[in-house]
Amino acid sequence: MKYIFFLFFVLLSFSGCSKSEPVEQNMAISAVTVQSPPPPKPGKYESDAQDKSTDSPEIPQKIIKQASLRFETNDLKETYNQIQISIRQNNGKIQNDSEGKEYNNIYRYITVRIPSQNFDNFISSVSKGVSYFENKEISAEDVTEQYIDLTTRLKTKRKLEERYLQILQKATKISEILEIEKQISAIREEIEAKEGQLKYLENRVSESTITIQFYKTIAQKEGIKASYGSKIWTAIQSGFFSLSEFLISIISLWPFIILFCVFAYFIRKRFKRKKL
C-alpha cells in the first residue's frame, strides 16, 4: 500500500509540472509583446506635421530689404548721373523720378528697384562721396513664415478643388452639380487670391525698394548778388509785356478807331463849309 501511494504522488507531481510550463511560457510571450509593441502608423495630423517639417527646411529664407536715403550734394546733375551708373551696374530700374524746388533748396526724388542680391553693393556705390546722411534707414523683414503659410494653404485649397472635381464627375442630379460647381467657384477664387498674395510676396523678396532724395541748398550770397540784376531784367520783361498787351488791345479796337476817323473826317469837312 505504501508503494501505491508513493507512485500516485509522483504521478500527480509530474502532471502539475506539465500544466505549469505552458502557463509560464504564455506569460513570457505576453511579456515580450508588451515590451516591444509595433510602431503605430502616423495619423492624419502627424503626417501633415511631418510633411511640414520636411518641407520647411527646403524653402530658403525669404527676406524683404528696403532702404531710404537723404543727403545734400553740390551738383544735382553729377549725383544723378552717378546713381544712374550704379543702377545699370546692379541691374536695377527706376520706378519713380521727380524733382522740385522748395524755399531754400532744389531736390530730386528717385525710387529704385534693385535685385536683392545686389542690395548691399548698390547702397555702397551710392554712399560713395556722401559726407553725411540726413536720413539713412535700412530694414530687412523676414517673411519666411508667412511664405510657408501661404504655400501650405494654397496646396490645401488645390487638393480640395481636386476632390470636388472628382465628386462632380460622379454627380448625377442637377441640384448636386450646381452646388458642387458653386463650391468649386468659391475655392477657385480663394486659390487665385492666395496665388496673388504669394506672387506679390515673391516680387518684394526678389527685388528691393530704395528711395533716394538728394538736394542742393540755394546759398543766400548767390541770391544777393543776383537780386539787383534779376530785378532789372524782370522790370524790362514786364515793360515789354505791358507794351505788347497795349498794342494788342489797340489792334482789337480797330473797328471803333475806323468809325472815329470817319466821324472826325465828316465833322472837319462840315466845319470847312461853314467857314466858306
Side-chain angles (χ1 to χ4, degrees), residues 193-211:
K194 298 296 181 186
E195 288 176 345
Q197 294 175 7
L198 196 62
K199 186 176 180 180
Y200 174 73
L201 195 63
E202 289 176 347
N203 187 20
R204 293 187 63 193
V205 170
S206 61
E207 289 187 346
S208 302
T209 304
I210 303 168
T211 57

Side-chain angles (χ1 to χ4, degrees), residues 10-25:
V10 171
L11 292 172
L12 289 174
S13 62
F14 278 113
S15 63
C17 291
S18 62
K19 291 180 179 179
S20 62
E21 286 178 358
V23 175
E24 291 176 356
Q25 292 178 357

Side-chain angles (χ1 to χ4, degrees), residues 102-120:
E102 294 179 346
Y103 176 72
N104 61 345
N105 62 51
I106 50 178
Y107 65 88
R108 192 152 193 167
Y109 186 85
I110 304 173
T111 303
V112 183
R113 298 295 301 275
I114 297 292
S116 298
Q117 61 269 21
N118 300 333
F119 178 82
D120 296 331

Side-chain angles (χ1 to χ4, degrees), residues 260-275:
F260 177 77
C261 292
V262 172
F263 184 72
Y265 173 76
F266 282 109
I267 292 176
R268 185 178 179 184
K269 189 176 182 180
R270 186 175 181 180
F271 277 122
K272 284 183 179 180
R273 289 179 181 179
K274 286 183 179 180
K275 287 181 181 179

Side-chain angles (χ1 to χ4, degrees), residues 47-218:
S47 61
D48 293 341
Q50 290 176 0
D51 293 339
K52 290 180 182 179
S53 63
T54 54
D55 293 343
S56 297
E58 296 178 359
I59 297 177
Q61 194 175 18
K62 303 292 182 179
I63 297 177
I64 298 175
K65 295 180 180 180
Q66 292 180 335
S68 177
L69 308 176
R70 176 181 167 85
F71 57 90
E72 185 178 5
T73 182
N74 295 325
D75 193 338
L76 289 176
K77 187 175 181 180
E78 183 180 356
T79 303
Y80 181 72
N81 292 334
Q82 291 178 356
I83 293 173
Q84 280 189 322
I85 293 172
S86 299
I87 292 171
R88 287 194 295 268
Q89 290 176 350
N90 292 279
N91 299 323
K93 58 185 177 181
I94 296 176
Q95 187 176 12
N96 185 22
D97 186 0
S98 61
E99 58 183 339
K101 181 179 180 181
E102 294 179 346
Y103 176 72
N104 61 345
N105 62 51
I106 50 178
Y107 65 88
R108 192 152 193 167
Y109 186 85
I110 304 173
T111 303
V112 183
R113 298 295 301 275
I114 297 292
S116 298
Q117 61 269 21
N118 300 333
F119 178 82
D120 296 331
N121 293 333
F122 180 75
I123 295 295
S124 300
S125 178
V126 173
S127 300
K128 290 180 181 178
V130 179
S131 57
Y132 71 94
F133 288 92
E134 289 188 7
N135 181 32
K136 185 176 183 179
E137 296 179 0
I138 298 175
S139 63
E141 182 184 359
D142 190 353
V143 294
T144 308
E145 185 177 355
Q146 184 179 356
Y147 184 88
I148 293 173
D149 182 66
L150 280 173
T151 305
T152 305
R153 291 176 183 272
L154 188 58
K155 288 180 180 179
T156 304
K157 293 296 180 183
R158 285 173 177 170
K159 289 181 180 179
L160 185 61
E161 183 186 20
E162 291 178 0
R163 290 179 60 187
Y164 270 107
L165 290 173
Q166 293 175 359
I167 296 172
L168 181 61
Q169 293 178 357
K170 298 178 182 179
T172 56
K173 295 182 179 180
I174 296 176
S175 59
E176 293 178 354
I177 293 173
L178 293 175
E179 182 64 26
I180 295 170
E181 288 180 348
K182 182 179 178 181
Q183 295 295 331
I184 292 174
S185 177
I187 295 170
R188 171 50 53 184
E189 290 180 0
E190 294 180 3
I191 289 174
E192 291 177 355
K194 298 296 181 186
E195 288 176 345
Q197 294 175 7
L198 196 62
K199 186 176 180 180
Y200 174 73
L201 195 63
E202 289 176 347
N203 187 20
R204 293 187 63 193
V205 170
S206 61
E207 289 187 346
S208 302
T209 304
I210 303 168
T211 57
I212 306 171
Q213 185 177 9
F214 53 98
Y215 65 94
K216 178 183 178 181
T217 302
I218 302 173

